[in-house]
Amino acid sequence: MRLKHLYLAFAATAALAGTAACAQDIKFGYNGDLSASPSAQSGQAAVLGMAAAIEDINAAGGLLGRKITLVTRDDVSAPPKSIQNMSDLIDNEGVVAVFGPTNSGNAMAWKHIANRKKIPVMGNVGSGTDITKPMRPNADNYMFRVSMVDREQVAALMAYVKKNGEKSKVVGLMAETTGYGQGGMKDMQEIAKLQGIEIAATEHFGVGDTDMTSQLNKMKAAGVDTLVVWAQGTPNAQLIRSMEKINYFPLTLTSWASDNITFYDAAGKELSEKPIFMRTVSDQRTAEQQQLYDRIGAKLRAPSSFSFALHGYDSVLLVAAAIRQAGSTDGPAVRMALEDLKEPVDGLLKNYDKPFSQTNHEALTAKDLVWIRWKDGKLARYSDALTESLTPADFKQ
C-alpha cells in the first residue's frame, strides 16, 4: 500500500509516546444511513473503507501513540435521527471527528452542531454543494469533504455540453423535486448561464414517479437534443425507461447517482447504457485500489459502491494526518491543520498535496473525476474526443 511514509511517521510517534500507547483510544465517528434507503449501500461501503484505513494505521503503531476506534451510528436516512446521532457521538462517545453522512440533507440539518462544538467533519458520501460552505462569511468552518461534489460534477457536465455545441444545440434540464434534485437544478442553471448555454426547457418529477413521459414530451416538442438530469438512481432509471416508451433518446448526462446498482436494476442492461455521468473511480483500478477491493469486496452490497470505500479510506488518512501534524485531537487545532497540511497525503484516489485551505474544504474537484457509462453490466470508463479535450479551465463555476 502507499502508506509507507505514513506508517513510518505513525510508528515514530508511537515510539516517542512510550507507555502512552496504552492511553485511551482515539474515537472516530460515522453518522449516516446504513440500512434504510438505497443509498445505504454507499454508507456501508464508506464504513468498510474507513475500517480498513484504521486497521492499517493501528497496525503501524496507531496515532499519537494511541489506537483509533470507529463508532458508527445509523441515521436511517432521517434528519431528526441524524441530529440525535451527532449529539450522541460528540457528547456521549467523545469522538474527535465525525465522518459522513450518507445523505446530503442530513449534513445540512446538523452542520451547525459540528461548527458550534468545534468538531471536524470529513464527508465521504453526501455530495450536496452547500455542505462545506461556512455557516456565515468568514466563520470558522469544520465541514470538510473527500467525495463527489454536485457543483463540481455540474461544472464538468456543462463544460461537455458547451464543447459539444455543434450537436448540443437545444439543451433541457430535469431534476427530481427533493432537496438533492433542486440543489442540483440550481447548480445546473447557474453554471449553464456562466457557460453561455441557453436552456430551452426545464422540468421536474417526483422521486417516486415511474412515468415521466409527460415531461419528456415537452422536451421533445421543444426540440431538446441534450438533456442534463439531476436525480437519484431509481428515478434516473425511470426517466430512461420513459424515454423508451416514446422512443426519444436525447444525449443524456446525469448525476453520479446513475452509478448506483438501483439504477442498473431498474433500467436493465440495455437502457442502463444510455446516460453518461461522472464518478471518482472506474473499473480500471490501480494496484493499491485493487488491494483494498480484495480485502473488502466480498462485504460490499454491490461492486459499484466501491468508490465510497475509497472515499472512506482516504478520509481517514486526511484526518489522521491533521491530528498527527497538530500533535493533538483538539478540534480547532485539527481544523487548522487540515486547512494547511504540511506534508502530502498519499491516498488511494490521489496524492493530496494541500487539498484544503481556509476557504476551500473540498479534496476532490472536477479534474479528479472520471467519465463513466454502464457497459455490459459494469461501470466502464467513458472516453470521446470531448472528454479528452476538457481542461480545468473549462470547468466554470
Side-chain angles (χ1 to χ4, degrees):
M1 303 291 288
R2 296 188 294 173
L3 284 171
K4 184 176 180 181
H5 68 288
L6 284 175
Y7 284 174
L8 294 175
F10 289 136
T13 302
L16 290 172
T19 57
C22 296
Q24 185 178 7
D25 292 344
I26 293 173
K27 290 185 178 182
F28 288 173
Y30 183 86
N31 179 19
D33 186 5
L34 299 173
S35 66
S37 73
S39 61
Q41 64 177 286
S42 307
Q44 294 165 2
V47 168
L48 287 171
M50 290 179 63
I54 290 170
E55 180 182 337
D56 289 342
I57 293 171
N58 286 342
L63 182 59
L64 303 183
R66 298 154 64 184
K67 288 193 176 297
I68 304 172
T69 57
L70 179 61
V71 182
T72 63
R73 291 290 184 270
D74 185 353
D75 70 14
V76 297
S77 197
K81 179 62 175 174
S82 201
I83 293 170
Q84 178 185 339
N85 287 350
M86 197 68 176
S87 295
D88 179 41
L89 286 168
I90 297 172
D91 298 334
N92 299 328
E93 293 291 347
V95 301
V96 302
V98 176
F99 298 75
T102 310
N103 305 97
S104 298
N106 288 358
M108 298 303 294
W110 52 244
K111 63 182 288 187
H112 66 285
I113 298 176
N115 281 290
R116 186 177 71 247
K117 298 190 175 184
K118 303 183 188 306
I119 297 295
V121 171
M122 188 63 71
N124 49 28
V125 180
S127 60
T129 297
D130 290 343
I131 289 175
T132 60
K133 290 183 179 179
M135 298 296 294
R136 59 186 184 280
N138 301 317
D140 290 340
N141 182 12
Y142 286 80
M143 304 293 291
F144 297 81
R145 178 161 43 194
V146 183
S147 185
M148 297 285 275
V149 184
D150 289 352
R151 199 170 182 89
E152 296 289 342
Q153 295 173 69
V154 172
L157 298 181
M158 288 302 179
Y160 184 96
V161 172
K162 180 67 174 180
K163 282 211 167 184
N164 196 42
E166 291 187 4
K167 295 182 180 179
S168 295
K169 297 183 182 299
V170 185
V171 181
L173 305 178
M174 293 185 71
E176 64 180 43
T177 54
T178 64
Y180 173 68
Q182 295 314 294
M185 176 62 79
K186 177 175 178 289
D187 287 334
M188 291 190 295
Q189 290 173 326
E190 290 178 353
I191 295 178
K193 185 175 182 180
L194 287 175
Q195 288 281 14
I197 299 171
E198 184 177 349
I199 302 303
T202 299
E203 292 291 334
H204 301 83
F205 51 85
V207 69
D209 290 354
T210 58
D211 187 344
M212 292 81 157
T213 54
S214 175
Q215 296 94 323
L216 288 170
N217 275 320
K218 293 176 183 177
M219 291 287 171
K220 189 176 182 179
V224 168
D225 53 41
T226 300
L227 188 59
V228 189
V229 183
W230 214 257
Q232 298 173 62
T234 300
N236 274 342
Q238 296 299 346
L239 181 67
I240 301 298
R241 290 175 66 89
S242 295
M243 289 180 180
E244 183 183 40
K245 293 177 183 177
I246 61 173
N247 192 29
Y248 169 58
F249 290 104
L251 170 64
T252 304
L253 298 90
T254 74
S255 66
W256 71 324
S258 290
D259 78 345
N260 196 294
I261 195 63
T262 60
F263 168 80
Y264 181 82
D265 288 345
K269 180 176 179 295
E270 182 178 348
L271 291 177
S272 69
E273 298 182 3
K274 295 294 185 181
I276 58 175
F277 47 95
M278 305 199 79
R279 152 176 229 269
T280 51
V281 66
S282 71
D283 60 345
Q284 299 170 357
R285 304 183 187 111
T286 65
E288 293 83 4
Q289 290 170 356
Q290 186 62 46
Q291 288 176 22
L292 179 62
Y293 187 84
D294 291 342
R295 287 170 65 183
I296 69 171
K299 299 178 182 178
L300 296 171
R301 282 178 57 187
S304 61
S305 66
F306 179 60
S307 61
F308 298 100
L310 296 172
H311 302 174
Y313 194 99
D314 284 7
S315 67
V316 167
L317 295 192
L318 287 166
V319 173
I323 291 173
R324 188 176 77 254
Q325 178 176 306
S328 168
T329 59
D330 175 67
V334 174
R335 174 186 60 78
M336 288 188 287
L338 281 169
E339 292 177 342
D340 186 26
L341 286 172
K342 304 299 185 184
E343 298 292 333
V345 175
D346 207 7
L348 297 186
L349 285 169
K350 63 181 281 188
N351 179 275
Y352 300 91
D353 187 4
K354 294 191 177 298
F356 306 117
S357 68
Q358 189 172 4
T359 56
N360 173 44
H361 284 193
E362 302 289 0
L364 302 176
T365 61
K367 64 183 176 60
D368 299 311
L369 309 181
V370 293
W371 292 86
I372 296 291
R373 170 177 272 168
W374 284 96
K375 187 68 176 176
D376 297 325
K378 295 181 179 180
L379 289 165
R381 185 183 289 265
Y382 175 79
S383 177
D384 62 22
L386 292 180
T387 61
E388 294 300 317
S389 71
L390 291 171
T391 68
D394 295 313
F395 305 138
K396 295 184 179 180
Q397 296 191 54

